[in-house]
Amino acid sequence: MEDYSAGQAGTETAQERIPKLIAHMENVIRGKRLQIEMVITCLLAKGHVLMEDNPGTGKTVLARTLAHSVSGHGEDGNIIFKRIQFTPDLLPMDLIGSHLFDERNADFVFKKGPLFCNVLLADEINRASPKVQSALLECMAEGQITVGDTTTKLEDLFFTIATQNPIEMEGTYPLPAAQLDRFFMKIYFGYVDAATEVDIYRNYDRIQDNLEHLKQVLSLQDVLALRQEAEAVFVHDEIVQAVANIVRGTREHQEITLGASTRAGIAFLRCLKAFALVKGRSFVIEDDVQAIARSVLDHRLIYRNREAKLKAFDQILQKEMDRLSKLKLY
């Protein structure tokens, strides 16, 4: 496994840094390049990502792999990674922190909780009660935490990677619409193909060793610089119009009872820019819209029934892709 030094990345371009990060993660995560790209997209778009699938598909491993690839194992110290295992008995103060009495100074002092970090892994988030889930709302939406009458700003880099099991499983609490809207993307992880699965079985011990010895590939400054580059990616006016048409189409489709908001459209544009950068481009193309539209918008919508969920969004997206293909922008 290659050993990269985050300190050497200062002179590298985005076209060098991002492929290096992806290659580093693929030492552990096999056969899931698109999912890796989408998680990095959310990181660079200044958003948060939710991964849903059955237990054992690699959701938590992917989250840990990205976190350690940008933070190391604590020896570098410039990016703080925290992991919270969500359980039914968790309390909001377990995330935010609480005031403790300091006998020496005869005063209460605030002990910060794990939300005061740069990269947060919220593992099995839908196993905690709605009260605990809501503790994440302010920090994810506004980058701050309020305790009593004191509001504390979080760091410039605050990125939440949440995992959840399908909501039909026992002992889970479905995330409310307001919480889901804070996630820029919802990714379904899925199983790997047959050949990749055999490769994992043959090399599982080496893969585990790679996970335990992941090095830091990007520094805090590298991540912040890449975020600025993502903001500067060019988006053609017709693609902006396509985003608006898709968002508006979700509100007007008769099989969708709750459409996407303006905030969802802004998140869509930011993800398009970041995804283009991840793909090595300084401009967004039509195929980017097709690639990430469902991951960005689908979890924000409420459909009339299961059949509508399978067809309605695809109808809206296909109509707009047909319009873009006739324009031949690139």
Side-chain angles (χ1 to χ4, degrees):
M1 181 177 176
E2 293 180 81
D3 182 2
Y4 300 115
S5 171
Q8 296 174 346
T11 60
E12 293 176 335
T13 65
Q15 287 71 28
E16 295 170 320
R17 292 172 183 166
I18 295 174
K20 179 183 289 188
L21 174 59
I22 293 172
H24 191 62
M25 293 178 66
E26 285 185 323
N27 285 314
V28 176
I29 305 297
R30 305 293 177 86
K32 291 293 175 185
R33 188 179 183 91
L34 179 60
Q35 284 81 357
I36 291 174
E37 290 175 344
M38 286 188 171
V39 172
I40 296 173
T41 293
C42 288
L43 172 65
L44 301 187
K46 302 180 183 179
H48 310 279
V49 63
L50 174 64
M51 294 188 288
E52 177 182 295
D53 220 313
N54 296 319
T57 54
K59 304 183 299 296
T60 301
V61 175
L62 174 55
R64 287 178 59 197
T65 300
L66 176 65
H68 290 311
S69 294
V70 298
S71 70
H73 287 272
E75 67 275 9
D76 298 288
N78 62 349
I79 292 182
I80 301 172
F81 167 59
K82 298 288 185 181
R83 174 180 177 178
I84 304 173
Q85 186 67 47
F86 280 68
T87 55
D89 60 346
L90 206 64
L91 297 174
M93 68 176 62
D94 295 327
L95 278 63
I96 298 171
S98 60
H99 286 91
L100 302 176
F101 187 71
D102 183 355
E103 294 184 359
R104 178 177 298 177
N105 298 314
D107 195 10
F108 284 94
V109 295
F110 180 67
K111 181 176 175 58
K112 292 181 178 180
L115 289 186
F116 289 88
C117 65
N118 300 113
V119 180
L120 172 70
L121 168 54
D123 209 3
E124 297 189 288
I125 188 173
N126 61 331
R127 291 203 179 278
S129 68
K131 182 183 291 187
V132 174
Q133 294 173 6
S134 66
L136 283 168
L137 279 174
E138 183 182 18
C139 62
M140 289 176 63
E142 302 175 39
Q144 63 184 31
I145 293 176
T146 301
V147 181
D149 57 357
T150 303
T151 298
T152 304
K153 278 285 187 184
L154 294 175
E155 301 294 331
D156 290 338
L157 172 60
F158 177 72
F159 179 52
T160 301
I161 312 171
T163 71
Q164 70 172 9
N165 295 320
I167 60 174
E168 291 82 3
M169 297 187 70
E170 293 182 9
T172 59
Y173 301 85
L175 295 176
Q179 184 85 51
L180 287 171
D181 198 44
R182 266 57 179 185
F183 291 102
F184 273 32
M185 281 190 183
K186 181 179 180 181
I187 301 170
Y188 294 94
F189 209 63
Y191 295 108
V192 296
D193 59 60
T196 302
E197 190 161 10
V198 170
D199 177 64
I200 292 172
Y201 294 153
R202 287 173 176 160
N203 299 285
Y204 68 86
D205 52 345
R206 183 161 57 89
I207 293 172
Q208 181 62 33
D209 184 65
N210 288 343
L211 176 61
E212 296 300 327
H213 295 90
L214 281 169
K215 301 297 182 181
Q216 184 179 20
V217 181
L218 299 182
S219 68
L220 175 61
Q221 291 71 29
D222 293 331
V223 175
L224 296 178
L226 287 172
R227 284 183 162 189
Q228 288 185 332
E229 288 192 54
E231 285 285 352
V233 168
F234 174 73
V235 185
H236 195 284
D237 282 345
E238 288 295 344
I239 291 181
V240 175
Q241 185 63 54
V243 169
N245 291 345
I246 293 170
V247 169
R248 191 165 54 251
T250 64
R251 302 173 195 158
E252 298 172 351
H253 199 289
Q254 60 183 1
E255 296 298 324
I256 300 176
T257 58
L258 176 65
S261 65
T262 303
R263 179 167 56 192
I266 294 172
F268 194 1
L269 282 170
R270 288 167 65 176
C271 285
L272 282 171
K273 290 182 175 185
F275 187 72
L277 189 68
V278 169
K279 288 293 190 180
R281 284 180 273 101
S282 60
F283 55 92
V284 176
I285 63 174
E286 302 95 313
D287 287 348
D288 296 335
V289 178
Q290 178 94 45
I292 71 170
R294 180 172 283 279
S295 295
V296 175
L297 297 178
D298 191 56
H299 64 284
R300 308 169 192 268
L301 310 178
I302 297 178
Y303 298 91
R304 289 193 181 276
N305 50 49
R306 188 181 296 272
E307 184 179 357
K309 184 175 178 63
L310 295 174
K311 297 179 180 179
F313 186 78
D314 287 338
Q315 292 170 354
I316 297 168
L317 179 60
Q318 192 56 53
K319 178 181 177 182
E320 199 53 35
M321 294 309 299
D322 290 343
R323 185 188 75 85
L324 285 177
S325 65
K326 294 174 184 176
L327 296 176
K328 297 185 167 119
L329 300 178
Y330 298 107

